[in-house]
Amino acid sequence: MSAAIFLAVVSVKVTNPIHGAYFTARQTSTPFAHLAVQHNVLHWTATGLSYVLSAVGLFILFQLFFESGYDTRPLSVLSVLIGFPAVLDIVAQFTPLLINIIYAPIGVAVFAVGVLFIFERRFLAVQRASFGDDLSIYLDERGRIGDHSAAVGEVLPELDRSNGDRLSEAVPSVVEALDSDDQILETEQSGERRYYFVSTSTTMLGDAGAQVIQLSDVTRTERQRRQLAEREAELDEQNELFRAVIDASFAFVFRIDEEGRFTFVSPSVEAFLAYSPAELDGQPFSVTLPNEATVERAWDDIESMLNGNPNTVRDFPLETKAGSTVFTDVRGVPIYRGSVPADERTPDDVVGIQLMVRDATERREREGLISVINRVLRHNMRNKMGIITGYAEMLEGRLSGDDAEKATQIRDTADQLPDLTESAQRIEENRDLSPELEPVTLEPLLEDTVSELRMEYPEASITIDVPDTAVANTHERLETALWEVLENAAKHGGDPSVVEIDVTVTETRVAIAVSDNGSGIPEIERNALQSNVETKLVHGEGLGLWLVHWIVTSLDGELETTLGAAGTTVTIRLLKAS
């Protein structure tokens, strides 16, 4: 359209000698001799169209000035000069004092010179600001601030009155951002942390150029990136913590899927089984088992865990890469889909199991040694004590007076020694200090124990008060501890023995109090129980109460002995089942 109008105007001017509708010329001597041009209809039509188009252009230009937010008064003056020569054109039509020529090009020339050579930087700034809320700083050839957009002034208030200053002096934070790896400028506005990406470019207008520092608001993206970076750092820290826990607590950790294939193996497996994690990844777990019987045993335990049940297996055999067998303790837990909330998980949500393996070699050797020592001790103790008891009974029949009493004391003491071996055997049977606790109703457990006690000590008076709501988080080994306490009360009570069992339930605990009417537990025995240490100065005469203390503390319970005027009370406090 613009080209068509241009060509039409040119053709009218070129053909003017034929039609004379654009202008005519005549000789005149006022105010001096010259060729006067008379503009006709087509001239005024083309001129009117030009001024209309110029007015539209100036309107758009002034709109840009207004939206830019700059001090554009110098540019406004230049814009006015475009229209001023039109006044001369009109005046020349009515007075011979002005030559009737076209004065408009003079205004256009003044505007062009001013824009290109005087206010070119400001014109570039207005041009850039026309694209919206531009965040820009404009530098001259010497790197000094020539101008900046109004929007960037709100982000960096220190840019106020900074024209002519070096960028590094006015806003050093922008220079630091440009020199950084991520080129991110961090600012605070109205108490809110915001982030901008800082870039630089050059804008040209003819031979004039301006270096432009551009800020792009990337607050949302940068916040997400930093959150992800913080989360990644947290995960790295957690992974390192888990690695340290695994290395400190287990020989290695591995994970298997529902098909029984390895999906993860910790690096420490190589020091234990000589396999690298890469060699086991994707392999069936059976490659580390010595025989088919062990595989069948393992699958029984795995199926239980896939049904949502954690499991602990002691003395489980594994085969090394070289073919030798090692024994381990294995703790396994089910792995659920992460998208399922913990309180909604079912066995159908199990996607695999994680197994933590600990080397059981030293424990097996230690327990084997203890077992042999106990067995030999019990065997030899029975044989030797049988001989001592036989000779003591023979001396009792032959001696009289003090000598007979001494023989009787020898026999009684010899009869007590086998009790030590029996207590040692029970300690060995209960050597695991970390059993799996489960809810146990105490009423039937105590009733069975009391029934057995009455058969053993028919002359003792035994009463029991236990509510049917007494349910403790405990283990079957509690029965051994209860028997030791009750037997001690019946054996060493008054004549006859009176034993009272009273069970009370609180919000968090279940207390089993066993009282007797005896002379009380010797102080040396109570001191040994309180200190839980056997030394040259603190030791007991038997192992029964040590066994009670061992069992109760292994059940996360508490043991207390109270000596009163009427006898002794031993209280066992256990966790109440939720």
Side-chain angles (χ1 to χ4, degrees), residues 64 141 161 164 182 283 295 303 328 344 375 403 405 424 440 442 469 515 519 528 554:
L64 293 179
E141 293 86 348
R161 301 176 181 174
D182 55 10
Q283 295 294 319
V295 174
E303 288 175 357
T328 61
E344 298 178 9
R375 190 163 58 251
D403 292 337
E405 291 180 4
V440 174
L442 296 182
T469 58
S515 304
S519 59
S554 74

Side-chain angles (χ1 to χ4, degrees), residues 321-340:
K321 188 176 181 179
S324 59
T325 300
V326 294
F327 289 89
T328 61
D329 293 337
V330 182
R331 166 74 173 165
V333 293
I335 301 173
Y336 295 88
R337 288 187 181 87
S339 59
V340 181

Side-chain angles (χ1 to χ4, degrees), residues 222-239:
E222 182 64 12
R223 283 175 180 168
Q224 292 175 345
R225 188 189 70 79
R226 295 193 176 208
Q227 288 174 357
L228 290 174
E230 290 175 3
R231 181 57 178 160
E232 185 177 353
E234 291 174 1
L235 289 174
D236 289 342
E237 185 176 349
Q238 290 178 359
N239 287 338

Side-chain angles (χ1 to χ4, degrees), residues 23-279:
F23 70 90
T24 58
R26 62 184 178 83
Q27 290 287 339
T28 183
S29 58
T30 304
F32 53 85
H34 66 279
L35 185 65
V37 177
Q38 178 68 37
H39 296 112
N40 297 324
V41 176
L42 291 180
H43 165 80
W44 293 114
T45 302
T47 301
L49 178 61
S50 299
Y51 277 108
V52 168
L53 294 176
S54 297
V56 173
L58 287 174
F59 174 78
I60 295 174
L61 185 60
F62 275 105
Q63 185 180 29
L64 293 179
F65 292 168
F66 178 77
E67 291 178 352
S68 71
Y70 290 98
D71 178 13
T72 56
R73 286 175 294 181
L75 288 175
S76 300
V77 172
L78 290 176
S79 300
V80 170
L81 292 178
I82 297 178
F84 179 73
V87 176
L88 299 179
D89 287 343
I90 297 173
V91 172
Q93 299 297 318
F94 301 101
T95 176
L97 298 178
L98 287 177
I99 299 175
N100 188 13
I101 62 173
I102 301 174
Y103 291 94
I106 300 174
V108 174
V110 172
F111 180 84
V113 170
V115 168
L116 294 177
F117 298 100
I118 302 175
F119 300 109
E120 75 279 11
R121 306 271 179 214
R122 185 62 55 88
F123 188 82
L124 290 174
V126 172
Q127 184 186 44
R128 290 297 299 263
S130 66
F131 294 105
D133 295 332
D134 199 49
L135 303 175
S136 303
I137 306 170
Y138 305 91
L139 308 181
D140 60 20
E141 293 86 348
R142 298 175 299 169
R144 297 184 182 275
I145 298 175
D147 211 339
H148 64 274
S149 66
V152 80
E154 297 178 2
V155 176
L156 299 170
E158 56 266 41
L159 284 172
D160 256 357
R161 301 176 181 174
S162 64
N163 286 3
D165 296 339
R166 290 192 176 277
L167 183 68
S168 58
E169 297 172 354
V171 278
S173 58
V174 173
V175 177
E176 292 172 3
L178 279 171
D179 294 338
S180 66
D181 293 334
D182 55 10
Q183 296 183 229
I184 297 297
L185 172 66
E186 183 177 345
T187 66
E188 187 168 339
Q189 302 172 40
S190 304
E192 181 183 15
R193 187 70 58 181
R194 301 196 68 82
Y195 304 93
Y196 298 87
F197 177 74
V198 184
S199 59
T200 180
S201 62
T202 300
T203 296
M204 301 297 296
L205 181 63
D207 294 332
Q211 185 182 4
V212 182
I213 307 298
Q214 189 80 27
L215 275 65
S216 303
D217 192 338
V218 293
T219 300
R220 181 177 179 182
T221 303
E222 182 64 12
R223 283 175 180 168
Q224 292 175 345
R225 188 189 70 79
R226 295 193 176 208
Q227 288 174 357
L228 290 174
E230 290 175 3
R231 181 57 178 160
E232 185 177 353
E234 291 174 1
L235 289 174
D236 289 342
E237 185 176 349
Q238 290 178 359
N239 287 338
E240 177 60 20
L241 177 61
F242 294 153
R243 184 202 60 76
V245 170
I246 290 171
D247 288 349
S249 305
F250 307 99
F252 64 94
V253 172
F254 61 88
R255 192 178 304 132
I256 62 175
D257 59 19
E258 296 169 286
E259 303 298 324
R261 294 185 176 276
F262 290 110
T263 58
F264 169 80
V265 183
S266 63
S268 50
V269 69
E270 193 161 4
F272 191 66
L273 296 180
Y275 288 103
S276 68
E279 289 178 297

